[in-house]
């Protein structure tokens, strides 16, 4: 069985744990750098990317997470987690982890639509997935090795770059675990 970590510094941590367990995998809430040794893949949850970044600095997570990625371990960022993974953030000079070859823009669906749900066709996952968007970012641009998995109103909202998976929405907030399962399959393949 694979062990999936959820970065547990801030945000929708428990919901991801529930979704991982619903898929029959083992979930570990990662609060300390040492715990990265025991997991096969990591989910960075939604929340607030600037707050999460501050805590990542405080607990010394930035370099260890880059090393985790350099070992080929899969990482999945949802919403704020997507921003944390991105190589480029519109309006910012420096990224956070800077691992996934995408450019993201924060809070990009407009104030009047702070949160909404939309049915999405996600390549390799589902053609009727209900995405929950909460002050969501979107992917403005992708590098050539990035596969676009889903769009909403012409905006990219899910993509995969090899071991890195990211989406604008919150797949853990519904009872549809197919997106989580898709990530777990990536982790299983990487482990083999
Ligand atoms: N707006 C948040 C940010 O920029 C992300 C929101 C979320 O994760 N639901 O970090």
């Amino acid at each position: 069985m694979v062990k999936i970590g959820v970065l547990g510094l801030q945000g929708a941590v428990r919901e991801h744990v529930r979704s991982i367990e619903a898929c029959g995998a083992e979930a570990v809430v990662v609060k300390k750098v040492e715990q990265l040794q025991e997991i096969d893949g990591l989910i960075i949850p939604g929340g607030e990317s600037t707050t999460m970044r501050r805590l990542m600095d405080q607990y010394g997570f930035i370099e260890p997470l880059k090393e985790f990625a350099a070992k080929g371990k899969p990482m999945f960022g949802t919403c704020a987690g997507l921003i944390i993974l991105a190589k480029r953030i519109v309006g910012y000079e420096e990224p956070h982890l800077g691992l996934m070859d995408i450019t993201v823009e924060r809070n990009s669906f407009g104030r009047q639509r702070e949160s909404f749900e939309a049915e999405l066709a996600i390549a390799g996952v589902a053609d009727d997935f209900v995405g929950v968007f909460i002050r969501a970012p979107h992917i403005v641009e992708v590098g050539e090795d990035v596969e676009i998995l889903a769009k909403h109103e012409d905006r990219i909202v899910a993509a995969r770059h090899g071991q890195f998976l990211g989406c604008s929405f919150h797949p853990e907030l519904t009872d549809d675990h197919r997106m989580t399962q898709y990530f777990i399959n990536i982790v299983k393949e990487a482990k083999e």
Side-chain angles (χ1 to χ4, degrees):
M1 192 155 84
V2 289
K3 270 195 197 179
I4 311 288
V6 182
L7 188 63
L9 300 177
Q10 194 257 340
V13 178
R14 298 198 63 82
E15 294 82 353
H16 274 296
V17 167
R18 187 188 64 105
S19 187
I20 292 163
E21 288 173 350
C23 293
E26 192 177 338
V28 177
V29 176
V30 175
K31 289 181 182 269
K32 291 182 183 157
V33 166
E34 302 80 70
Q35 290 174 287
L36 295 174
Q37 307 292 339
E38 50 175 279
I39 57 171
D40 303 303
L42 179 73
I43 294 177
I44 304 180
E48 185 56 45
S49 55
T50 48
T51 308
M52 208 181 294
R53 171 59 195 270
R54 192 155 28 79
L55 293 167
M56 288 167 84
D57 285 334
Q58 194 174 322
Y59 292 93
F61 266 103
I62 298 290
E63 283 311 313
L65 284 175
K66 288 181 182 172
E67 285 161 24
F68 183 81
K71 287 182 198 155
K73 301 264 180 111
M75 297 170 83
F76 178 20
T78 63
C79 205
L82 172 77
I83 299 166
I84 297 287
L85 278 185
K87 279 201 176 177
R88 295 165 297 275
I89 308 167
V90 172
Y92 291 74
E93 285 190 9
E94 296 291 331
H96 301 296
L97 291 175
L99 294 168
M100 187 172 177
D101 193 9
I102 55 171
T103 304
V104 295
E105 188 179 317
R106 295 180 67 199
N107 304 321
S108 56
F109 286 93
R111 276 180 174 274
Q112 68 279 26
R113 294 185 70 200
E114 283 229 318
S115 72
F116 60 95
E117 291 183 5
E119 191 170 292
L120 307 168
I122 309 174
V125 178
D127 56 16
D128 57 352
F129 194 95
V130 177
V132 179
F133 294 78
I134 305 170
R135 295 188 309 283
H138 85 285
I139 300 169
V140 180
E141 214 170 49
V142 301
E144 59 180 283
D145 295 328
V146 179
E147 184 190 355
I148 294 169
L149 301 181
K151 285 187 178 181
H152 174 62
E153 292 175 348
D154 286 329
R155 290 177 164 186
I156 304 166
V157 294
R160 177 176 175 182
H161 175 200
Q163 78 202 86
F164 306 117
L165 179 67
C167 64
S168 301
F169 49 92
H170 284 262
E172 78 287 5
L173 294 185
T174 66
D175 287 324
D176 188 338
H177 302 296
R178 289 177 289 180
M179 191 76 190
T180 306
Q181 186 63 59
Y182 181 81
F183 178 62
I184 292 171
N185 293 345
I186 293 173
V187 176
K188 282 184 183 161
E189 280 165 28
K191 200 181 176 181
E192 273 163 18

